[in-house]
Amino acid sequence: MTAPFQSNSNMNMDDHVDGTIADALRMDNPKSFFLFAGAGSGKTRTLVNALEHIQRRFRDILRLRGRQVAVITYTNAACEEIIRRTKYDPLLVVRTIHSFAWQQIQGLNNDIREWLRETLRRQIDELEDEEAKGRPGTKASIGRLARIESKRHRLDRLDQIKTFTYNPNGDNRERNALNHSEVISIFSSFLQSKPLMQRLLVEKFPFLFIDESQDTHGALVDALLTVQKAHAERFSLGLIGDTMQRIYSDGKERIEDEIPEGWEVPEKKLNHRSPKRVVRLINKIRSSADVHTQEPRDDAIEGWARLFVFPTATPDKPGLEQRIREYMAGVTEDQLWNTIDDCKILTLEHHMAARRMGFEQMFEALASVEEFRTSFLDGTFGPTRLFTHCVLPLVTAQQKGDKFTATRVLRELSPLLSKDSLKASQKPADQLAAAQSAISKLMHLWDMGTPSCGQVLISIAETKLFEIPDRLKAVVAVLTSSSENVKPEDERADPQSEDMAALVRFLECPFSMIEPYATYVAHQAPYDTHQGVKGLEFDRVMVLMDDSEARGFMFGYDKLLGGKEPTASDLKSQQEGRDSTIERTRRLFYVTCSRAKMSLALVAYTDNPGAVRKHVLNSGLFDDAEVFLALPN
């Protein structure tokens, strides 16, 4: 709970930031800015203050000219919070990145069609070149030919599409729908290549703010920087964020290095969230990455931070973690540590949560592909959404005998019972019978145990129960093809592409993995990660770090905390200023630790507990009394 203002406190140390931004926000000769706002610094409050300044000063002139103010945020929840705090003012357009991008290109059907035509032709040419170099009849060849056919089919239909559609929160499987990545790519491309699009954007939105700018798609940030440079005299671009909190791979890397001269670069230094001990810790964590530091509020509690280091081979880790929570309850005199639901348990890497929740095989199949990773982990990946949003609700309803829910799922999501198919059918009863037959065929798979995702997909493809995403159509061709006459040496000489191989491995997973995965990406599980809690805060935070469970997958806390030596590749990446395992892990470590409002327990499993203890003491991350190699009595 926020303490009342005290004149002798440091509560006003960042007040000048709002003034700096207000001075930049002018209708004549505006300035752009990059606001550096670390964890818990109240960046949303500053953003709202900037919007309220515009509302007071420029409402009349903006409305007279039919202009608005744009705010791009990362999540729907963040949008709703800003809209609520600015009193639902129609002067402000607050949207997620995909929603805003679509708003700008919606209706530009001819331009979208030509962009798709050029893109599809290029993709087809690339696949045909690969096919010419490959071996006929291999799984790779079957997949390529299926993808070529799918893209040619879409290319041939382009001229039949009069209006393109898109739903930022949907699956977009309709023939005239764009997918999520296409919307961002098209908008970014149009901004870079079409001066008219730039002028339209600037004329409509003389002020545009981007929250979490470090995680906004890099191509779009580049495009908006191009717009700002071309229209600096009448367009103010406000970027808000913290480079230490960049967690998405498609975000703008080292955005602070791209800020042009002449921009305002204010910085918020006060941390309103965390206790003094946690602020000292997160300052130390980032000290090897940059020079930014924060100060805790004068009225902040001292708080607690403890590090527990145990061998990787420790048996019954969940049981040990419960005993650690019991210890934290005692040392903090906060009995809510004893209840797992009153603590936020964060894993430094998704792989740990996947292993503990039972969808490890599925995670390893898909998260290893850079192109898939972000959307797979935030639940928007088309191939998995088919299972989580269509198949799982239907199967669950059928198994529970819930006919109402099953019927609703079919009417909303199955092409067999869509309004168009029922209207086009001379006998709607036949469509109902086809749907029932498709359900029976699907549910029959469970008669012999739990089917694989591939078996489920083949059943759906055969009955047309649900629309199959394009990415999976090629995989269906691979799964249903016969390769008896293909020589093993041909398969080895012409291996499947990384993305196709990953999808095949995913479809080998049992369908039983879909439900825990769906629970995880919906943030309804006891475990969460840096992405799921971005922008959130919790009284009690426990961070679990275990490279043996995470498999060193993109991250490695053991290297960060001194349990292992950095590799030559890590050192080379650091020297060349490129992202490395250590830097990625440092950012995640910072984000997870900075969620704590009262107390923080870090649990590290390592093959070298002594080395970790020595490193964290020598580096000043922890004091001797805060590090435990065994639970105190």
Side-chain angles (χ1 to χ4, degrees):
M1 189 172 182
T2 303
F5 175 76
Q6 302 174 10
S7 59
N8 62 345
S9 75
N10 62 352
M11 282 287 290
N12 62 349
M13 68 178 297
D14 287 336
D15 286 357
H16 68 284
V17 170
D18 288 352
T20 299
I21 293 175
D23 290 342
L25 301 175
R26 303 189 296 265
M27 293 297 295
D28 58 319
N29 194 29
K31 276 193 173 184
S32 295
F33 66 88
F34 175 75
L35 169 63
F36 180 88
S41 62
K43 64 181 177 60
T44 302
R45 177 69 263 172
T46 291
L47 172 57
V48 170
N49 287 344
L51 295 173
E52 290 176 342
H53 169 78
I54 294 173
Q55 289 171 314
R56 290 191 301 268
R57 290 288 305 274
F58 306 121
R59 174 187 297 281
D60 291 341
I61 190 171
L62 288 170
R63 291 179 63 184
L64 182 64
R65 297 179 182 178
R67 309 175 84 182
Q68 294 177 289
V69 179
V71 182
I72 297 176
T73 69
Y74 212 91
T75 65
N76 287 318
C79 285
E80 292 165 4
E81 175 68 8
I82 294 170
I83 290 170
R84 182 188 64 80
R85 290 167 79 167
T86 53
K87 300 176 179 170
Y88 305 90
D89 190 345
L91 181 69
L92 311 177
V93 175
V94 186
R95 294 178 178 269
T96 62
I97 179 175
H98 289 90
S99 177
F100 183 78
W102 174 240
Q103 183 188 48
Q104 307 316 306
I105 66 173
Q106 186 177 11
L108 302 178
N109 296 302
N110 290 334
D111 296 289
I112 292 172
R113 184 180 296 105
E114 292 312 307
W115 186 92
L116 287 171
R117 196 189 312 278
E118 180 181 338
T119 300
L120 288 167
R121 284 173 174 167
R122 183 179 67 252
Q123 292 172 343
I124 291 169
D125 288 344
E126 291 171 354
L127 286 167
E128 288 180 335
D129 286 343
E130 292 178 20
E131 179 62 16
K133 299 173 184 176
R135 303 286 179 94
T138 62
K139 292 179 180 178
S141 175
I142 292 167
R144 282 192 299 265
L145 292 174
R147 293 170 70 185
I148 290 171
E149 180 183 1
S150 177
K151 291 181 184 298
R152 280 180 177 165
H153 186 50
R154 190 181 184 195
L155 181 61
D156 292 340
R157 293 184 310 186
L158 281 181
D159 290 327
Q160 301 171 20
I161 298 174
K162 303 305 179 186
T163 303
F164 290 92
T165 64
Y166 172 70
N167 179 354
N169 301 310
D171 296 317
N172 300 292
R173 296 199 186 104
E174 298 83 2
R175 58 181 295 185
N176 61 336
L178 301 174
N179 63 45
H180 300 300
S181 63
E182 286 173 343
V183 167
I184 297 297
S185 297
I186 291 170
F187 181 44
S188 302
S189 174
F190 285 4
L191 282 179
Q192 292 278 21
S193 62
K194 297 181 182 294
L196 177 59
M197 174 65 95
Q198 294 185 11
R199 292 197 297 271
L200 289 172
L201 180 73
V202 170
E203 183 57 34
K204 182 64 177 176
F205 303 109
F207 303 105
L208 191 155
F209 302 93
I210 304 181
D211 195 13
E212 303 288 4
S213 57
Q214 76 279 353
D215 273 323
T216 301
H217 199 284
L220 181 54
V221 172
D222 288 337
L224 289 170
L225 289 172
T226 297
V227 174
Q228 189 278 331
K229 182 178 180 180
H231 301 274
E233 75 286 351
R234 61 194 190 100
F235 177 62
S236 177
L237 177 62
L239 304 179
I240 303 167
D242 175 9
T243 52
M244 194 66 183
Q245 297 187 70
R246 182 172 70 86
I247 57 178
Y248 290 101
S249 58
D250 56 5
K252 180 66 177 175
E253 189 173 347
R254 302 190 183 280
I255 190 172
E256 70 276 20
D257 296 338
E258 301 290 328
I259 302 305
E261 290 186 14
W263 281 41
E264 296 288 355
V265 285
E267 177 177 353
K268 302 195 74 172
K269 286 183 170 291
L270 188 63
N271 186 309
H272 295 269
R273 173 191 299 151
S274 297
K276 295 175 181 178
R277 178 62 190 98
V278 172
V279 173
R280 293 198 300 272
L281 174 62
I282 61 177
N283 281 341
K284 202 68 181 178
I285 291 171
R286 77 180 302 159
S287 63
S288 298
D290 59 38
V291 297
H292 297 288
T293 59
Q294 289 184 297
E295 292 185 25
R297 286 170 41 147
D298 285 342
D299 61 353
I301 64 172
E302 174 61 23
W304 297 265
R306 298 290 187 270
L307 174 64
F308 302 86
V309 190
F310 294 96
T312 300
T314 297
D316 188 20
K317 292 175 181 176
L320 172 63
E321 291 151 18
Q322 173 60 38
R323 294 196 295 278
I324 290 172
R325 290 195 295 274
E326 292 169 358
Y327 168 80
M328 291 298 295
V331 75
T332 63
E333 298 183 351
D334 179 0
Q335 294 306 309
L336 291 179
W337 265 106
N338 284 314
T339 308
I340 191 169
D341 290 339
D342 290 314
C343 309
K344 195 61 180 178
I345 303 176
L346 304 179
T347 59
L348 200 62
E349 226 291 326
H350 293 276
H351 196 291
M352 289 180 63
R355 184 174 185 180
R356 292 182 178 216
M357 292 184 65
F359 62 96
E360 180 182 23
Q361 181 184 348
M362 182 176 167
F363 177 89
E364 291 181 342
L366 295 175
S368 60
V369 180
E370 186 70 25
E371 181 187 356
F372 295 169
R373 185 175 176 83
T374 297
S375 58
F376 169 65
L377 293 175
D378 67 19
T380 62
F381 186 51
T384 51
R385 277 182 70 90
L386 168 68
F387 291 91
T388 58
H389 285 64
C390 299
V391 185
L392 180 62
L394 177 62
V395 169
T396 301
Q398 285 292 120
Q399 291 174 336
K400 292 180 177 180
D402 184 353
K403 295 182 179 180
F404 176 81
T405 299
T407 301
R408 179 181 57 79
V409 171
L410 288 175
R411 290 192 179 278
E412 292 179 0
L413 302 173
S414 175
L416 295 176
L417 296 186
S418 68
K419 291 181 180 179
D420 289 342
S421 63
L422 290 173
K423 187 176 180 179
S425 176
Q426 295 181 348
K427 295 182 178 181
D430 290 345
Q431 293 295 114
L432 293 171
Q436 187 56 55
S437 175
I439 293 174
S440 297
K441 182 179 179 66
L442 175 65
M443 298 308 299
H444 182 66
L445 295 174
W446 272 263
D447 291 346
M448 302 299 292
T450 301
S452 69
C453 291
Q455 290 173 305
V456 170
L457 179 65
I458 291 171
S459 175
I460 291 170
E462 290 174 347
T463 62
K464 298 181 173 55
L465 181 59
F466 295 113
E467 183 68 31
I468 306 295
D470 283 344
R471 282 191 183 276
L472 289 181
K473 289 178 181 176
V475 189
V476 170
V478 172
L479 294 178
T480 56
S481 66
S482 174
S483 57
E484 294 178 359
N485 298 324
V486 179
K487 297 178 181 179
E489 54 266 32
D490 286 339
E491 291 284 5
R492 290 192 294 270
D494 185 16
Q496 295 183 64
S497 62
E498 179 189 35
D499 57 338
M500 282 292 292
L503 289 170
V504 170
R505 291 196 301 273
F506 156 56
L507 293 173
E508 292 170 350
C509 297
F511 184 81
S512 56
M513 291 186 176
I514 296 297
E515 185 170 9
Y517 164 72
T519 300
Y520 180 65
V521 296
H523 308 300
Q524 296 172 348
Y527 303 100
D528 216 329
T529 62
H530 52 285
Q531 286 153 317
V533 298
K534 188 174 183 178
L536 302 179
E537 54 190 36
F538 311 93
D539 288 340
R540 302 156 214 85
V541 173
M542 172 179 274
V543 182
L544 305 180
M545 299 171 284
D546 189 342
D547 277 357
S548 69
E549 289 194 38
R551 304 275 182 90
F553 205 84
M554 294 281 292
F555 310 101
Y557 93 91
D558 226 354
K559 296 176 183 178
L560 180 69
L561 297 185
K564 289 182 180 178
E565 292 296 322
T567 65
S569 176
D570 294 326
L571 297 174
K572 183 178 180 181
S573 294
Q574 287 180 314
Q575 292 170 355
E576 296 176 354
R578 294 183 290 109
D579 219 10
S580 66
T581 298
I582 294 175
E583 294 310 312
R584 284 191 295 269
T585 308
R586 190 191 314 279
R587 293 197 299 269
L588 307 195
F589 194 39
Y590 176 89
V591 170
T592 51
C593 291
S594 63
R595 302 306 96 191
K597 293 174 62 180
M598 292 171 54
S599 50
L600 171 68
L602 304 169
V603 185
Y605 298 102
T606 176
D607 288 333
N608 199 340
V612 170
R613 187 177 192 279
K614 180 179 179 181
H615 176 84
V616 299
L617 294 179
N618 290 342
S619 64
L621 285 169
F622 292 92
D623 297 331
D624 183 72
E626 296 175 322
V627 183
F628 300 92
L629 300 188
L631 269 178
N633 295 323

